[in-house]
Amino acid sequence: MPTMILFNVVFALRANADPSVISCMHNLSRRIAIALQHEERRCQYLTREAKLMLAVQDEITTMTETDGSPQSPFRQILPKCKLARDLKEAYDSLCTTGVVRLHINNWLEVSFCLPHKIHRIGGNYIPPEALERSLKAIRPYHALLLLESEKALLTQLPLDCSPAMVRLIKTCSAVKNLQQLAQDADLALLQIFQIAAHLVYWGKAIIIYPLCENNVYMLSPHANICLYSPLAEQFAQQFPGHDLPSMLAKFSLPVSLAEFRNPLEAPAQEAQLIQMVVWMLQRRLLIQLHTYVCLLVPPSEDEPGFRDEDPPLAARVGGRSLSTPSALSFGSPTSSDDMTLTSPSMDNSSAELLPGGDSPLNKRMTETLLASLSEHERQVILNIPAAQNPEDLRMFARLLHYFRGHHHLEEIMYNENMRRSQLKTLFDKFRSVLVVTNHEDPIISIFQSPME
């Protein structure tokens, strides 16, 4: 029977500590307490360790009274008490790496990570709330980039870890999106999402967009570009014959990977370029830029300014936002494996969209376009030469709810099952009312640069 029923595991924090830090430390205290409670009930481990601590403390107290010189009992307790060493290891790990791995009584494993220590970019940490929001917004077209080698990760896994975790790590690649990864690893997409979120939370991976020749990268404003930095030495050792400052200089301005392609080079050189880009992404030296599109109709001569009573486009355009987690359903194998999303108000029918047409489909789609745009906007769009082509106008109307600067090109391609060339051609045809911008994807930008 246990003799120590009531006990506390306490971490002393500053009074102005962040509430999220307090919550994490409370979680660690609870985990250690549960393990100690289990071992106390099983073999009175806590009682035995407490008696050792008290015996050493009494011995030191007696010596202090005899010699008259005060001594600390803690250094004498550590060699004799396993629990004392575990608690010291937990404290030291929190102060250094933020990762705690204990085996209470050499039996029960207690694992914990402090995200404030692990997820740091520059001198700033990523708030756990922002990390959680980003993980909830992961999409099947994203990819998982491991921050350590496959061999190093596998050696860190506990003996009783999930076989699915091992399979994912062995299959993971920076050029595969999560949907392809699920197929190659023979795992459900929802399970891939869960394992990916677990690896990201523990600081073993980050979310990126799969590497391809159309990806546009540029130098991170927070990158260390010193000539003799430790990163430069690591890069020279990893890629002999290349130096990091010269490589980073190539990304001073936004550049796509296709611009580095040389048909005269051997395939091995192209593979090495991919490895160098992966290496720089792992160290947060590069950021990726995505293409976003906004509908911006020039004002008419009768309306020189934007009226306050006019609602913004985001409020007027019909359809749901496909960037929110609620737009995806993971409840069934069908919804988790077939992630093609379309607007509820548009369909992919090839019927012509002609203003004033008599077919029910033409009327419905025309009414949708009229409802989401003002009269002036509708007239400007219909006067564009490309709008005279029913196919182009139908595609523009179907994609209208994406043209508010919240959905990047790759997301539209995935959701609508379209090619990049199709979208770029459409953007060019309607360029008089579309503004194209390039910036980071807010979902993955927290892994690349500090939050403002």
Side-chain angles (χ1 to χ4, degrees), residues 400-444:
L400 184 61
H401 61 287
Y402 291 109
F403 301 154
R404 44 183 143 162
H406 296 161
H407 311 276
H408 56 70
L409 187 64
E410 289 78 13
E411 181 181 2
I412 302 174
M413 289 167 53
Y414 181 84
N415 292 338
E416 299 296 332
N417 193 23
M418 298 178 66
R419 294 189 301 272
R420 186 183 300 267
S421 58
Q422 288 179 284
L423 289 175
K424 287 195 170 183
T425 300
L426 181 70
F427 298 162
D428 183 65
K429 291 179 177 180
F430 289 88
R431 61 183 179 274
S432 60
V433 294
L434 295 179
V435 176
V436 178
T437 61
N438 294 280
H439 58 82
E440 296 177 85
D441 181 356
I443 295 177
I444 63 177

Side-chain angles (χ1 to χ4, degrees), residues 368-389:
T368 302
L369 187 61
L370 288 172
S372 61
L373 299 174
S374 67
E375 180 66 21
H376 168 66
E377 290 171 332
R378 188 179 70 85
Q379 290 300 327
V380 170
I381 291 173
L382 293 178
N383 288 334
I384 297 175
Q388 308 309 313
N389 186 329

Side-chain angles (χ1 to χ4, degrees), residues 291-313:
T291 300
Y292 293 81
V293 184
C294 295
L295 179 66
L296 186 62
V297 177
S300 64
E301 296 179 358
D302 299 335
E303 302 178 16
F306 183 82
R307 297 196 305 267
D308 294 337
E309 63 270 16
D310 287 343
L313 175 66

Side-chain angles (χ1 to χ4, degrees), residues 284-295:
R284 275 84 161 185
L285 299 176
L286 300 179
I287 59 175
Q288 183 178 356
L289 302 182
H290 293 266
T291 300
Y292 293 81
V293 184
C294 295
L295 179 66

Side-chain angles (χ1 to χ4, degrees), residues 4-59:
M4 291 192 66
I5 301 176
L6 299 178
F7 63 92
N8 296 294
V9 179
V10 179
F11 288 92
L13 303 175
R14 295 181 181 274
N16 59 351
D18 190 276
S20 59
V21 175
I22 297 175
S23 175
C24 290
M25 301 307 294
H26 180 269
N27 185 19
L28 176 58
S29 300
R30 182 172 54 85
R31 294 188 183 193
I32 296 176
I34 291 174
L36 289 175
Q37 188 179 50
H38 178 276
E39 288 302 281
E40 174 66 13
R41 290 175 176 173
R42 187 176 70 90
C43 60
Q44 297 187 349
Y45 170 72
L46 188 58
T47 299
R48 187 170 66 251
E49 295 294 294
K51 287 181 179 179
L52 285 174
M53 294 183 190
L54 292 175
V56 175
Q57 186 173 7
D58 292 342
E59 181 182 346

